[in-house]
Amino acid sequence: MRRLILIAVPYAWLVALFLVPFAIVFKIALSDPALAIPPYTPTLDLAAGWAGVRDFFTGLDFENFTFLTTDDLYWKAYLSSLQIALISTVLALAVGYPIAYAMARAPDHWRPTLLMLVILPFWTSFLIRVYSWMGILSTEGYLNQLLLGMGVISEPLTILNTNTAVYIGIVYTYLPFMILPIYSALERMDDSLLEAAEDLGCSRFTAFWLVTIPLSKNGIIAGCFLVFIPALGEFVIPSLLGGSDTLMIGKILWEEFFNNRDWPVASAVAVILLLILIIPIVLFQRNEQKQREMDG
Amino acid sequence: MRRFSWFNATSLTLGFAFLYLPMVILIIYSFNESKLVTVWGGFSTKWYGELLGNEAFLDAAWVTIQVAVVSSTIATVLGTMAAYVLVRGGRFLGRTLFSGMIYAPLVMPEVITGLSLLLLFIGIGLDRGIVTIILAHTTFSMCFVSVVVSSRLISFDRSLEEAALDLGCSPFSAFRLVTLPIIAPAVISGWLLAFTLSLDDLVIASFTAGPSATTLPIKIFSAVRLGVSPEINALSTLMIAVVTIGVISASLISKRQLMRQQADEREAERA
């Protein structure tokens, strides 16, 4: 009896506030837009009983989904989201790996402090961390002032409101997600393997390439997914740092919903974003599973 | 022998400069006298004064704190129950679905979670306000709590609980007297995580908040969309200060606890 309550309470909560809402999104993605409140005509009328369900299936159309294919905007937004997420992930790996590597090589008594310094930004507001870049990157911002003052450039650079600013924002805010898994893979590494490689005639660089990188492979994969997956649906970074030509699907969904008030299309956009995300999420979980089996 | 070369020292220095410099600049410029954010006009705390006189921000901050306290508390109870069920519950109908629902919100884009919850609230005719934000925040943060708590539950020795049961404890008092004290650090850090997630959330709150209740991130977002403002710099500095003090004192407390525990163990060994 007690066990039943223990299972039922969180279960019911998640069904009611996680599963049912998704069913509603799917349902509305299949409804017709209308100028009303709520601004759509439901095509599934449960109150009419079986007749309503039958009407729903006979009248079923994917109008909102075909609408997404007729307008360039949407597929361009999906592609550009994928591109931005991919480039940012590669950049985050390039920036994060040396940091994780240096942390793992640091003297033992430094490591708890270094680890805390990487985790601390997680506890700081995401919004504020993105906002802090607006003052740095704007035309009259601190970066331009510095570069002009040093004489490196003669004209201020336009960085804010471009995709470059979005890359910087994503790398900056998600960098700890990249550093932590790589650090934990490198930290467990047995140094005698490196010594063996060098004894056998490897240069330090080849030893790094042939021993260290493969041993940190799982950390690299986990870090890349942890940056790529949230970057794909990102909304805050493109709206604060990106320009009007920065197309990201999270931003499109938001505008479709709040500005155009086209709920069925917003729902259809959400459904397709979810379908795209299933692939990296499944791959990520498989990688985690494999690693757990290896550890256990 | 670990090597710590100039290369490693440089990457650490540059890496941490990258992580912290933007926030340091923000803090410095929050004490800027000038209205022009990028021009230094002398030291002043006037923006902090303006901020404390801004009722809209204070109201939003109060709503945010109420939402965070209530939602993280409910989320901790539900998340701990869910973790217990996942680790100790054995087999039950729909277990796969249940664990799927625990992990899915962790990777779900916020825009989708927000949209779907809003459509639910409209569907059942629940007016948007503080209650709907609390329901939304509880849902995603209970999943984070259950991940934190279940990792602690997996690693602890089950025989301790069995011993309590053998000695005549009811399952509930075995949980209260044996399991709960052992997993308490994870429960507390789960609560803290849920609390900060709730304080920080902009996207889901924007979908589920109504005109009657606005949270601080929503206010900040609508203010900074138009550009950098010295008042927001002051607000950000206060938030960074609160978080830093909180995290550092929490880590000092847990360090002291760890040391006390180690001292106890040494004492026990000697005895």
Side-chain angles (χ1 to χ4, degrees):
Chain A
M1 189 57 210
R2 267 207 194 97
R3 181 168 174 268
L4 192 66
I5 296 173
L6 203 59
I7 296 174
V9 174
Y11 208 134
W13 183 289
L14 285 172
V15 168
L17 284 140
F18 185 74
L19 207 56
V20 171
F22 275 107
I24 297 177
V25 171
F26 274 92
K27 193 191 116 190
I28 291 179
L30 297 169
S31 338
D32 302 321
L35 283 171
I37 299 172
Y40 65 93
T41 316
T43 43
L44 174 61
D45 187 6
L46 279 177
W50 268 115
V53 176
R54 206 179 51 229
D55 286 350
F56 172 69
F57 281 108
T58 51
L60 192 65
D61 59 43
F62 294 93
E63 197 187 324
N64 298 310
F65 291 96
T66 42
F67 174 71
L68 294 188
T69 60
T70 57
D71 195 332
D72 279 2
L73 174 75
Y74 299 101
W75 65 264
K76 276 189 183 151
Y78 285 113
L79 282 183
S80 123
S81 286
L82 283 169
Q83 189 195 344
I84 291 175
L86 204 64
I87 293 177
S88 314
T89 307
V90 173
L91 291 174
L93 179 62
V95 176
Y97 198 95
I99 303 175
Y101 183 80
M103 283 170 68
R105 304 260 119 189
D108 279 351
H109 59 278
W110 285 17
R111 280 190 230 153
T113 313
L114 294 176
L115 206 53
M116 174 137 140
L117 284 172
V118 174
I119 296 171
L120 195 61
F122 274 139
W123 296 93
T124 321
S125 166
F126 180 84
L127 187 55
I128 289 173
R129 280 187 289 145
V130 178
Y131 165 70
S132 68
W133 281 94
M134 292 176 72
I136 297 175
L137 298 177
S138 69
T139 327
E140 56 291 341
Y142 314 124
L143 182 66
N144 273 321
Q145 285 180 18
L146 182 76
L147 293 178
L148 285 170
M150 286 181 1
V152 182
I153 49 170
S154 53
E155 286 284 304
L157 304 170
T158 312
I159 307 175
L160 190 66
N161 303 327
T162 66
N163 282 1
T164 312
V166 177
Y167 298 141
I168 295 175
I170 296 178
V171 171
Y172 180 67
T173 45
Y174 292 120
L175 193 60
F177 283 126
M178 185 62 87
I179 295 177
L180 293 174
I182 297 177
Y183 167 76
S184 77
L186 286 173
E187 214 248 329
R188 279 182 300 188
M189 200 177 101
D190 187 354
D191 281 347
S192 56
L193 293 172
L194 274 183
E195 280 162 30
E198 280 177 34
D199 286 348
L200 292 169
C202 266
S203 72
R204 264 168 86 169
F205 182 75
T206 21
F208 172 76
W209 187 250
L210 295 175
V211 179
T212 312
I213 293 273
L215 283 174
S216 59
K217 197 185 83 195
N218 277 321
I220 295 175
I221 295 174
C224 286
F225 279 122
L226 286 175
V227 175
F228 182 79
I229 293 169
L232 201 57
E234 188 51 54
F235 162 74
V236 178
I237 298 171
S239 19
L240 291 185
L241 303 179
S244 50
D245 56 337
T246 305
L247 283 177
M248 283 197 82
I249 206 65
K251 202 177 129 197
I252 298 284
L253 192 161
W254 176 285
E255 277 161 10
E256 210 55 72
F257 189 87
F258 284 111
N259 303 349
N260 300 344
R261 296 190 46 80
D262 193 339
W263 295 13
V265 165
S267 304
V269 169
V271 169
I272 295 186
L273 173 58
L274 209 59
L275 291 178
I276 295 176
L277 271 168
I278 285 176
I279 305 162
I281 290 173
V282 168
L283 289 176
F284 173 67
Q285 278 183 333
R286 214 174 272 173
N287 181 57
E288 292 283 286
Q289 189 84 34
K290 211 171 67 190
Q291 207 171 339
R292 232 174 290 144
E293 276 160 17
M294 265 165 50
D295 290 346
Chain B
M1 182 40 212
R2 298 222 172 200
R3 263 166 279 173
F4 196 68
S5 60
W6 62 269
F7 176 79
N8 290 335
T10 321
S11 24
L12 275 189
T13 316
L14 289 179
F16 285 107
F18 177 61
L19 275 176
Y20 284 94
L21 217 51
M23 286 191 271
V24 171
I25 294 172
L26 189 110
I27 292 169
I28 294 172
Y29 273 83
S30 75
F31 295 104
N32 185 5
E33 166 78 32
S34 167
K35 173 94 190 148
L36 288 167
V37 196
T38 47
V39 182
W40 182 256
F43 180 87
S44 152
T45 53
K46 75 171 177 193
W47 302 112
Y48 290 88
E50 301 248 327
L51 185 71
L52 294 174
N54 189 329
E55 296 247 337
F57 276 125
L58 295 181
D59 285 348
W62 177 229
V63 170
T64 311
I65 290 170
Q66 282 173 296
V67 168
V69 169
V70 177
S71 71
S72 56
T73 308
I74 307 174
T76 303
V77 175
L78 289 172
T80 307
M81 284 168 90
Y84 197 81
V85 166
L86 278 178
V87 178
R88 295 285 152 81
R91 287 167 169 279
F92 58 89
L93 193 66
R95 193 194 150 91
T96 318
L97 176 68
F98 185 70
S99 68
M101 285 193 300
I102 287 289
Y103 290 106
L106 305 178
V107 285
M108 196 63 68
E110 289 168 317
V111 276
I112 298 187
T113 313
L115 177 74
S116 67
L117 282 163
L118 170 62
L119 294 175
L120 170 82
F121 295 142
I122 288 170
I124 59 174
L126 194 60
D127 276 340
R128 277 182 281 162
I130 197 163
V131 175
T132 48
I133 314 175
I134 289 174
L135 288 175
H137 282 187
T138 306
T139 309
F140 75 79
S141 48
M142 72 176 272
C143 300
F144 284 90
V145 173
S146 83
V147 168
V148 173
V149 173
S150 64
S151 68
R152 178 93 182 183
L153 267 177
I154 288 170
S155 67
F156 106 71
D157 190 357
R158 198 168 180 174
S159 57
L160 292 171
E161 256 171 36
E162 279 159 7
L165 292 174
D166 285 347
L167 292 168
C169 264
S170 71
F172 182 71
S173 43
F175 177 79
R176 193 171 55 88
L177 296 171
V178 178
T179 317
L180 198 57
I182 296 177
I183 62 169
V187 174
I188 293 168
S189 52
W191 188 90
L192 283 171
L193 184 60
F195 185 77
T196 22
L197 286 171
S198 170
L199 284 188
D200 198 21
D201 168 61
L202 161 74
V203 176
I204 295 172
S206 299
F207 277 98
T208 52
S212 64
T214 311
T215 64
L216 201 53
I218 300 177
K219 271 266 174 292
I220 296 176
F221 182 68
S222 55
V224 303
R225 248 188 150 169
L226 309 167
V228 186
S229 97
E231 228 176 337
I232 298 292
N233 284 359
L235 179 59
S236 305
T237 305
L238 288 179
M239 287 168 74
I240 293 172
V242 170
V243 167
T244 312
I245 293 167
V247 172
I248 290 175
S249 45
S251 77
L252 286 180
I253 291 169
S254 69
K255 198 172 173 185
R256 190 179 300 167
Q257 261 174 352
L258 194 72
M259 275 158 65
R260 194 177 302 156
Q261 206 177 322
Q262 281 168 346
D264 283 350
E265 274 161 20
R266 271 197 301 273
E267 198 73 25
E269 264 169 37
R270 214 175 299 143

mmCIF file of all heavy atoms in Angstrom, chain A residues 47-67:
data_model
loop_
_atom_site.group_PDB
_atom_site.id
_atom_site.type_symbol
_atom_site.label_atom_id
_atom_site.label_comp_id
_atom_site.label_asym_id
_atom_site.label_seq_id
_atom_site.Cartn_x
_atom_site.Cartn_y
_atom_site.Cartn_z
ATOM 1 N N ALA A 47 -15.788 15.739 -26.600
ATOM 2 C CA ALA A 47 -17.130 15.805 -26.022
ATOM 3 C C ALA A 47 -18.148 15.116 -26.919
ATOM 4 O O ALA A 47 -19.178 14.645 -26.456
ATOM 5 C CB ALA A 47 -17.528 17.263 -25.797
ATOM 6 N N ALA A 48 -17.845 15.048 -28.224
ATOM 7 C CA ALA A 48 -18.787 14.417 -29.151
ATOM 8 C C ALA A 48 -18.626 12.899 -29.169
ATOM 9 O O ALA A 48 -19.261 12.212 -29.966
ATOM 10 C CB ALA A 48 -18.591 14.980 -30.558
ATOM 11 N N GLY A 49 -17.766 12.380 -28.288
ATOM 12 C CA GLY A 49 -17.609 10.931 -28.172
ATOM 13 C C GLY A 49 -16.952 10.346 -29.411
ATOM 14 O O GLY A 49 -16.068 10.966 -30.016
ATOM 15 N N TRP A 50 -17.389 9.126 -29.775
ATOM 16 C CA TRP A 50 -16.761 8.414 -30.876
ATOM 17 C C TRP A 50 -16.844 9.167 -32.180
ATOM 18 O O TRP A 50 -15.901 9.161 -32.974
ATOM 19 C CB TRP A 50 -17.376 7.024 -31.054
ATOM 20 C CG TRP A 50 -16.605 6.020 -30.282
ATOM 21 C CD1 TRP A 50 -17.027 5.284 -29.225
ATOM 22 C CD2 TRP A 50 -15.241 5.653 -30.517
ATOM 23 N NE1 TRP A 50 -16.014 4.492 -28.765
ATOM 24 C CE2 TRP A 50 -14.900 4.689 -29.547
ATOM 25 C CE3 TRP A 50 -14.277 6.042 -31.444
ATOM 26 C CZ2 TRP A 50 -13.639 4.121 -29.482
ATOM 27 C CZ3 TRP A 50 -13.016 5.469 -31.386
ATOM 28 C CH2 TRP A 50 -12.705 4.514 -30.405
ATOM 29 N N ALA A 51 -17.983 9.844 -32.388
ATOM 30 C CA ALA A 51 -18.159 10.603 -33.633
ATOM 31 C C ALA A 51 -17.057 11.654 -33.751
ATOM 32 O O ALA A 51 -16.478 11.866 -34.825
ATOM 33 C CB ALA A 51 -19.520 11.267 -33.654
ATOM 34 N N GLY A 52 -16.731 12.279 -32.607
ATOM 35 C CA GLY A 52 -15.673 13.302 -32.596
ATOM 36 C C GLY A 52 -14.326 12.712 -32.959
ATOM 37 O O GLY A 52 -13.585 13.277 -33.764
ATOM 38 N N VAL A 53 -14.017 11.553 -32.396
ATOM 39 C CA VAL A 53 -12.739 10.904 -32.688
ATOM 40 C C VAL A 53 -12.680 10.516 -34.167
ATOM 41 O O VAL A 53 -11.657 10.702 -34.831
ATOM 42 C CB VAL A 53 -12.552 9.665 -31.778
ATOM 43 C CG1 VAL A 53 -11.275 8.928 -32.147
ATOM 44 C CG2 VAL A 53 -12.534 10.091 -30.325
ATOM 45 N N ARG A 54 -13.831 10.009 -34.702
ATOM 46 C CA ARG A 54 -13.866 9.606 -36.105
ATOM 47 C C ARG A 54 -13.652 10.814 -37.017
ATOM 48 O O ARG A 54 -12.849 10.766 -37.938
ATOM 49 C CB ARG A 54 -15.192 8.910 -36.421
ATOM 50 C CG ARG A 54 -15.069 7.932 -37.608
ATOM 51 C CD ARG A 54 -16.389 7.235 -37.869
ATOM 52 N NE ARG A 54 -17.481 8.186 -37.982
ATOM 53 C CZ ARG A 54 -18.643 8.061 -37.333
ATOM 54 N NH1 ARG A 54 -18.840 7.050 -36.516
ATOM 55 N NH2 ARG A 54 -19.592 8.967 -37.487
ATOM 56 N N ASP A 55 -14.351 11.914 -36.698
ATOM 57 C CA ASP A 55 -14.180 13.139 -37.483
ATOM 58 C C ASP A 55 -12.722 13.582 -37.482
ATOM 59 O O ASP A 55 -12.196 14.030 -38.497
ATOM 60 C CB ASP A 55 -15.037 14.279 -36.908
ATOM 61 C CG ASP A 55 -16.503 14.074 -37.236
ATOM 62 O OD1 ASP A 55 -16.787 13.167 -38.054
ATOM 63 O OD2 ASP A 55 -17.336 14.799 -36.670
ATOM 64 N N PHE A 56 -12.097 13.439 -36.313
ATOM 65 C CA PHE A 56 -10.701 13.857 -36.178
ATOM 66 C C PHE A 56 -9.817 13.088 -37.154
ATOM 67 O O PHE A 56 -9.005 13.650 -37.875
ATOM 68 C CB PHE A 56 -10.236 13.631 -34.742
ATOM 69 C CG PHE A 56 -8.761 13.854 -34.530
ATOM 70 C CD1 PHE A 56 -8.226 15.128 -34.605
ATOM 71 C CD2 PHE A 56 -7.919 12.792 -34.250
ATOM 72 C CE1 PHE A 56 -6.875 15.336 -34.411
ATOM 73 C CE2 PHE A 56 -6.567 12.989 -34.055
ATOM 74 C CZ PHE A 56 -6.041 14.264 -34.136
ATOM 75 N N PHE A 57 -10.028 11.758 -37.205
ATOM 76 C CA PHE A 57 -9.157 10.970 -38.067
ATOM 77 C C PHE A 57 -9.499 11.116 -39.548
ATOM 78 O O PHE A 57 -8.600 11.119 -40.381
ATOM 79 C CB PHE A 57 -9.165 9.498 -37.642
ATOM 80 C CG PHE A 57 -8.283 9.277 -36.454
ATOM 81 C CD1 PHE A 57 -8.826 9.015 -35.203
ATOM 82 C CD2 PHE A 57 -6.905 9.377 -36.578
ATOM 83 C CE1 PHE A 57 -8.000 8.850 -34.100
ATOM 84 C CE2 PHE A 57 -6.081 9.212 -35.476
ATOM 85 C CZ PHE A 57 -6.632 8.944 -34.241
ATOM 86 N N THR A 58 -10.789 11.284 -39.862
ATOM 87 C CA THR A 58 -11.118 11.448 -41.289
ATOM 88 C C THR A 58 -10.696 12.826 -41.777
ATOM 89 O O THR A 58 -10.252 12.983 -42.906
ATOM 90 C CB THR A 58 -12.634 11.254 -41.545
ATOM 91 O OG1 THR A 58 -13.337 12.099 -40.629
ATOM 92 C CG2 THR A 58 -13.063 9.820 -41.374
ATOM 93 N N GLY A 59 -10.789 13.838 -40.903
ATOM 94 C CA GLY A 59 -10.428 15.196 -41.318
ATOM 95 C C GLY A 59 -8.969 15.515 -41.069
ATOM 96 O O GLY A 59 -8.541 16.652 -41.178
ATOM 97 N N LEU A 60 -8.188 14.479 -40.660
ATOM 98 C CA LEU A 60 -6.802 14.714 -40.269
ATOM 99 C C LEU A 60 -5.976 15.287 -41.414
ATOM 100 O O LEU A 60 -5.919 14.734 -42.500
ATOM 101 C CB LEU A 60 -6.192 13.378 -39.830
ATOM 102 C CG LEU A 60 -4.853 13.453 -39.121
ATOM 103 C CD1 LEU A 60 -4.976 14.176 -37.796
ATOM 104 C CD2 LEU A 60 -4.314 12.049 -38.890
ATOM 105 N N ASP A 61 -5.368 16.443 -41.166
ATOM 106 C CA ASP A 61 -4.447 16.935 -42.178
ATOM 107 C C ASP A 61 -3.190 17.439 -41.481
ATOM 108 O O ASP A 61 -3.196 17.719 -40.289
ATOM 109 C CB ASP A 61 -5.086 18.047 -43.016
ATOM 110 C CG ASP A 61 -5.525 19.215 -42.171
ATOM 111 O OD1 ASP A 61 -4.772 19.617 -41.275
ATOM 112 O OD2 ASP A 61 -6.634 19.743 -42.396
ATOM 113 N N PHE A 62 -2.132 17.504 -42.239
ATOM 114 C CA PHE A 62 -0.882 17.982 -41.674
ATOM 115 C C PHE A 62 -0.599 19.384 -42.193
ATOM 116 O O PHE A 62 0.523 19.743 -42.488
ATOM 117 C CB PHE A 62 0.247 16.993 -41.989
ATOM 118 C CG PHE A 62 0.038 15.669 -41.308
ATOM 119 C CD1 PHE A 62 -0.617 14.629 -41.956
ATOM 120 C CD2 PHE A 62 0.461 15.495 -40.006
ATOM 121 C CE1 PHE A 62 -0.828 13.431 -41.313
ATOM 122 C CE2 PHE A 62 0.245 14.288 -39.361
ATOM 123 C CZ PHE A 62 -0.401 13.253 -40.012
ATOM 124 N N GLU A 63 -1.703 20.152 -42.287
ATOM 125 C CA GLU A 63 -1.668 21.509 -42.821
ATOM 126 C C GLU A 63 -0.549 22.351 -42.224
ATOM 127 O O GLU A 63 0.211 22.990 -42.941
ATOM 128 C CB GLU A 63 -3.028 22.137 -42.489
ATOM 129 C CG GLU A 63 -3.394 23.356 -43.255
ATOM 130 C CD GLU A 63 -4.683 23.942 -42.679
ATOM 131 O OE1 GLU A 63 -5.567 23.146 -42.251
ATOM 132 O OE2 GLU A 63 -4.785 25.155 -42.634
ATOM 133 N N ASN A 64 -0.430 22.316 -40.874
ATOM 134 C CA ASN A 64 0.584 23.146 -40.227
ATOM 135 C C ASN A 64 1.989 22.673 -40.564
ATOM 136 O O ASN A 64 2.910 23.472 -40.660
ATOM 137 C CB ASN A 64 0.393 23.139 -38.719
ATOM 138 C CG ASN A 64 -0.958 23.721 -38.348
ATOM 139 O OD1 ASN A 64 -1.317 24.788 -38.808
ATOM 140 N ND2 ASN A 64 -1.717 22.977 -37.562
ATOM 141 N N PHE A 65 2.113 21.357 -40.745
ATOM 142 C CA PHE A 65 3.428 20.836 -41.091
ATOM 143 C C PHE A 65 3.766 21.153 -42.538
ATOM 144 O O PHE A 65 4.901 21.506 -42.860
ATOM 145 C CB PHE A 65 3.490 19.327 -40.838
ATOM 146 C CG PHE A 65 3.438 18.999 -39.377
ATOM 147 C CD1 PHE A 65 2.237 18.670 -38.770
ATOM 148 C CD2 PHE A 65 4.581 19.055 -38.608
ATOM 149 C CE1 PHE A 65 2.184 18.402 -37.423
ATOM 150 C CE2 PHE A 65 4.534 18.785 -37.255
ATOM 151 C CZ PHE A 65 3.324 18.458 -36.656
ATOM 152 N N THR A 66 2.749 21.046 -43.442
ATOM 153 C CA THR A 66 3.032 21.394 -44.837
ATOM 154 C C THR A 66 3.290 22.889 -44.945
ATOM 155 O O THR A 66 4.114 23.315 -45.741
ATOM 156 C CB THR A 66 1.884 20.975 -45.779
ATOM 157 O OG1 THR A 66 0.656 21.287 -45.148
ATOM 158 C CG2 THR A 66 1.943 19.507 -46.106
ATOM 159 N N PHE A 67 2.633 23.676 -44.089
ATOM 160 C CA PHE A 67 2.895 25.112 -44.075
ATOM 161 C C PHE A 67 4.371 25.379 -43.776
ATOM 162 O O PHE A 67 4.991 26.243 -44.382
ATOM 163 C CB PHE A 67 2.010 25.795 -43.031
ATOM 164 C CG PHE A 67 2.317 27.255 -42.857
ATOM 165 C CD1 PHE A 67 1.992 28.170 -43.848
ATOM 166 C CD2 PHE A 67 2.948 27.723 -41.705
ATOM 167 C CE1 PHE A 67 2.289 29.515 -43.705
ATOM 168 C CE2 PHE A 67 3.248 29.070 -41.550
ATOM 169 C CZ PHE A 67 2.917 29.968 -42.555
#
